[in-house]
Amino acid sequence: HVQLVESGGGSVQAGGSLRLSCAASGRTYIKWCMGWFREVPGKEREGIATIDSGGITAYADSVKGRFTISKDNAKNILYLQMDNLKPEDSATYRCAASWDVTAIEALGRIADPAFGYWGEGTQVTVS
């Protein structure tokens, strides 16, 4: 059993920054690929950033250059540094994990329920 718990969401003005965290517990795997996707009611889920077991990262065009994904393998914590936030970044951000998949492959699949494990999410509001 794997648990993913996000934190760090909140309300921020446009141009501001937030750092999200995702703590993984339970049975984790050396070849984890982890990432973030976001969801807004009425819109399609969007995979935004992934990082695989080799440290390779992938980003959606909508966040490239503004968001940075990283992870602390010793603590099993995934991060998402979000800078220069825009109102269109407002969403529920959820982390996800799977195995034996590259960061690029994961970016296109992470928002699919079949991807692997999902957290419950943390809300980000940009005004």
Side-chain angles (χ1 to χ4, degrees):
H1 180 65
V2 174
Q3 276 193 318
L4 302 173
V5 180
E6 302 91 337
S7 61
S11 297
V12 65
Q13 290 188 334
S17 299
L18 283 173
R19 189 176 81 155
L20 306 183
S21 299
C22 172
S25 61
R27 188 180 178 184
T28 57
Y29 296 88
I30 293 175
K31 292 189 176 181
W32 268 135
C33 178
M34 300 185 74
W36 297 88
F37 68 95
R38 60 190 180 188
E39 53 187 5
V40 176
K43 293 188 177 180
E44 192 172 328
R45 295 188 192 100
E46 180 187 18
I48 57 172
T50 54
I51 182 167
D52 63 27
S53 59
I56 304 298
T57 59
Y59 296 92
D61 288 342
S62 58
V63 305
K64 200 173 293 183
R66 300 187 298 121
F67 291 10
T68 303
I69 189 170
S70 62
K71 60 180 178 175
D72 184 329
N73 289 323
K75 297 180 179 179
N76 282 331
I77 299 178
L78 179 73
Y79 299 102
L80 184 68
Q81 177 66 40
M82 306 188 295
D83 298 318
N84 191 21
L85 283 160
K86 304 176 181 180
E88 52 264 41
D89 294 319
S90 297
T92 298
Y93 285 73
R94 302 177 71 171
C95 72
S98 190
W99 53 92
D100 287 341
V101 61
T102 68
I104 293 175
E105 291 170 338
L107 192 62
R109 295 168 46 194
I110 193 169
D112 186 324
F115 176 74
Y117 297 95
W118 283 3
E120 292 297 316
T122 185
Q123 180 67 37
V124 171
T125 303
V126 185
S127 59

